[in-house]
Amino acid sequence: TALYVHEQMTPAEWFAADLGLRAVLFGVKGRAYVRVEPRAAICFKPFEMWSVKASYTEMSQTSHLVSSLYLDLPTNMWLPSTAKIRPSRSREVAAGLYTNISPTVHLNVEGWYKHMYNLIEYAGAYTILPPLADWEYGYKSGQGRSWGAEFDFGYSNGKTEANVYYTLSWSQRKFDDFYRGWYSDRNDNRHKLTLMAKHKFTKRFEIY
């Protein structure tokens, strides 16, 4: 069961804010979890072509990806939290600068930091099928964190559009049962570059 309240405010042309609060009740045999998730986003627009945005978000997830291998396989399953395995939780802050260099060219830069709690990793014997009977006893709980920056540079004149996206990021985990310090997560992807171009010849034909 969840209840969500949201308020959008624009007290001035140069300032806007989105404030939200979500309350979640998740019940399982032997235990009930209550989580409160605040969300806030603000936007400053000091100049016509410039804007600065910042946000803070807390989220809870009551289902966990259950896998006995270090690979993504069709045998992996999502199972709900139990009295032993608590819902995972994350806190994230982000901020960015968004500008239109000209009517056809834009540049956006955004950074973020995210911390995650109550993550799980398998600690039993390696088999293709994860154990489903009392599955929570084969998993250990730990933390995670990720941070980085994203850059978006683009051009658009109505018919032709081109974008360059670049992401520099880190993703780490900390499970004391496996290793005392932080180590790179399986999803750690340091550099990501995406190039996109599109041209619209007519209303019915375009190339991407």
Side-chain angles (χ1 to χ4, degrees), residues 30-106:
R31 191 162 185 178
Y33 297 98
V34 178
R35 297 291 184 267
V36 178
E37 305 170 357
R39 291 97 183 264
I42 58 175
C43 176
F44 294 95
K45 196 170 184 179
F47 307 104
E48 181 65 27
M49 308 290 282
W50 292 77
S51 62
V52 179
K53 299 179 183 179
S55 65
Y56 175 80
T57 306
E58 292 191 19
M59 295 183 65
S60 299
Q61 182 169 296
T62 58
S63 58
H64 301 269
L65 178 61
V66 176
S67 173
S68 57
L69 296 175
Y70 206 67
L71 301 172
D72 291 326
L73 298 175
T75 55
N76 297 346
M77 298 184 180
W78 288 90
L79 294 180
S81 298
T82 66
K84 178 179 174 60
I85 300 292
R86 295 179 294 171
S88 58
R89 189 172 180 86
S90 68
R91 295 184 175 96
E92 181 178 10
V93 292
L97 176 65
Y98 307 83
T99 176
N100 293 318
I101 301 175
S102 72
T104 58
V105 179
H106 72 266

